[in-house]
Amino acid sequence: MILSSKSFNAWVNLFGGQSFLWRQTNNGELLHFSGKFPGVLKLREDEIICYDFSGNVKDYFGDEDDYLSSLRRLRMIDDIMARVVSDIQGVRVLKQDFEEVIFTFIISSNNNLPRIRNSVLQIANRFGRKHTKYGACLYPDAEVISGLSIDELRACGVGYRADFLIESAKIYLRNKNSFENLQEEALVEALKILPGVGDKVADCIAVFSGRANSFSPIDVWAKRILREVYNVEFSHYSDYRKWWRGKFGNDAALAGQILFEYFRNTSKA
DNA sequence: ATGCAGGGTTCGC
DNA sequence: GCGAACCCTGCA
């Protein structure tokens, strides 16, 4: 499969904080060291070539036509979106494996991107199986994580989240089926039974696995941007979800990614 | 050098 | 509902 660089910004989408399961190899390719969905991307000037993905590649990266019609709708919402959408290209929302997003984003709470990435990579390298072709270690599944010790995980730099990961893995394995038919708010509420998963991480899981699109995760940056750009601020997290849905409907998840990319880089907020 | 924030959540009151 | 603690690193 081939993606156009213009309609898919690999650097932003894969390394901007939606996923922690990508890394550059020494020959410059991008490796998805996911245990569920491994594969390799080669970046050319104007296209991205996907190799050896075991699953449905198209589903993971999102459909180009859906993306373009979302952009058309977002452009018409207000002047801010009109400007932002025309300035930013190729920012999308990934549809990652549900289980893997859970067990990488638990590590993200009160943490920073380089450290999260480092922890995720260490967990893969120590406890993941090797990819048959590339020899890289792939991120372990919930089954494996549930069997690790706190010390083994702490050695990967996750700190107090080690306990969250192990306990959540056990609870997830027992309740796997209960998540299957849930989406949007119902899904984020259900996800909060997992220790280490609060409002924000639940939103990340739902949105970055493609199972919610009517809101976008609210972190410190998002709060800052929404306050300064749209002049909105709430004390209850769920009020942000309502605001997103009211403003952007089913394009809210994409709107969030595009807005944050724009205002974080250009610091025009 | 000390303090604080970093893509928050849990626990205790 | 509210504040504090949490593991650890980088940066002011």
Side-chain angles (χ1 to χ4, degrees):
Chain A
M1 179 189 171
I2 293 179
L3 293 159
S4 141
S5 306
K6 274 213 174 85
S7 85
F8 189 91
N9 185 329
W11 191 254
V12 166
N13 296 334
L14 306 179
F15 294 92
Q18 286 191 58
S19 176
F20 304 109
L21 291 169
W22 288 89
R23 65 179 177 83
Q24 262 188 310
T25 64
N26 33 25
N27 57 16
E29 296 172 350
L30 303 185
L31 175 71
H32 190 215
F33 60 99
S34 148
K36 306 280 181 182
F37 193 17
V40 169
L41 297 185
K42 291 184 186 176
L43 306 184
R44 300 269 189 262
E45 282 173 41
D46 50 4
E47 61 185 20
I48 302 159
I49 305 165
C50 312
Y51 286 100
D52 297 317
F53 279 83
S54 53
N56 186 342
V57 184
K58 224 174 184 170
D59 190 48
Y60 178 93
F61 293 101
D63 180 71
E64 171 136 4
D65 291 335
D66 292 346
Y67 169 65
L68 294 175
S69 36
S70 286
L71 291 187
R72 279 194 294 275
R73 287 191 294 271
L74 287 175
R75 225 192 288 270
M76 299 199 296
I77 297 225
D78 59 25
D79 292 345
I80 296 170
M81 288 310 293
R83 185 180 76 212
V84 168
V85 168
S86 58
D87 279 18
I88 290 280
Q89 286 195 331
V91 174
R92 297 209 202 173
V93 181
L94 301 174
K95 293 180 187 169
Q96 302 176 75
D97 179 79
F98 182 64
E99 181 180 316
E100 247 163 7
V101 192
I102 295 175
F103 293 100
T104 50
F105 271 83
I106 285 175
I107 301 168
S108 76
S109 70
N110 192 25
N111 208 344
N112 54 59
L113 294 177
R115 217 163 81 90
I116 300 164
R117 276 185 203 298
N118 179 261
S119 295
V120 169
L121 188 58
Q122 282 201 57
I123 292 172
N125 287 343
R126 290 171 195 234
F127 309 113
R129 70 173 203 278
K130 283 204 169 167
H131 188 279
T132 48
K133 181 164 174 187
Y134 294 93
C137 295
L138 307 179
Y139 200 70
D141 62 14
E143 196 79 49
V144 172
I145 292 171
S146 73
L148 299 176
S149 70
I150 291 186
D151 288 341
E152 283 176 313
L153 275 171
R154 272 183 178 261
C156 301
V158 301
Y160 59 88
R161 305 170 194 83
D163 195 38
F164 292 163
L165 285 167
I166 297 163
E167 289 311 307
S168 282
K170 291 176 183 166
I171 295 170
Y172 172 79
L173 291 169
R174 286 201 300 271
N175 298 277
K176 226 175 174 175
N177 303 336
S178 66
F179 297 115
E180 265 171 19
N181 296 315
L182 301 179
Q183 314 170 34
E184 306 287 346
E185 271 94 341
L187 178 58
V188 297
E189 287 315 309
L191 279 166
K192 289 199 285 183
I193 65 164
L194 303 175
V197 179
D199 281 318
K200 192 270 181 178
V201 170
D203 279 9
C204 288
I205 296 166
V207 168
F208 300 145
S209 66
R211 289 177 56 174
N213 50 31
S214 67
F215 48 80
S216 188
I218 299 292
D219 56 29
V220 290
W221 290 96
K223 262 185 194 154
R224 212 168 290 164
I225 290 167
L226 286 191
R227 190 177 59 237
E228 292 175 13
V229 177
Y230 279 111
N231 201 24
V232 294
E233 190 166 20
F234 302 109
S235 46
H236 296 292
Y237 193 95
S238 58
D239 290 335
Y240 282 103
R241 294 203 188 102
K242 285 182 199 133
W243 184 84
W244 280 120
R245 187 195 290 277
K247 180 87 180 163
F248 301 107
N250 287 325
D251 300 308
L254 180 63
Q257 290 310 116
I258 294 176
L259 274 171
F260 304 143
E261 186 52 35
Y262 182 84
F263 286 104
R264 228 179 306 172
N265 285 341
T266 58
S267 63
K268 289 171 189 167

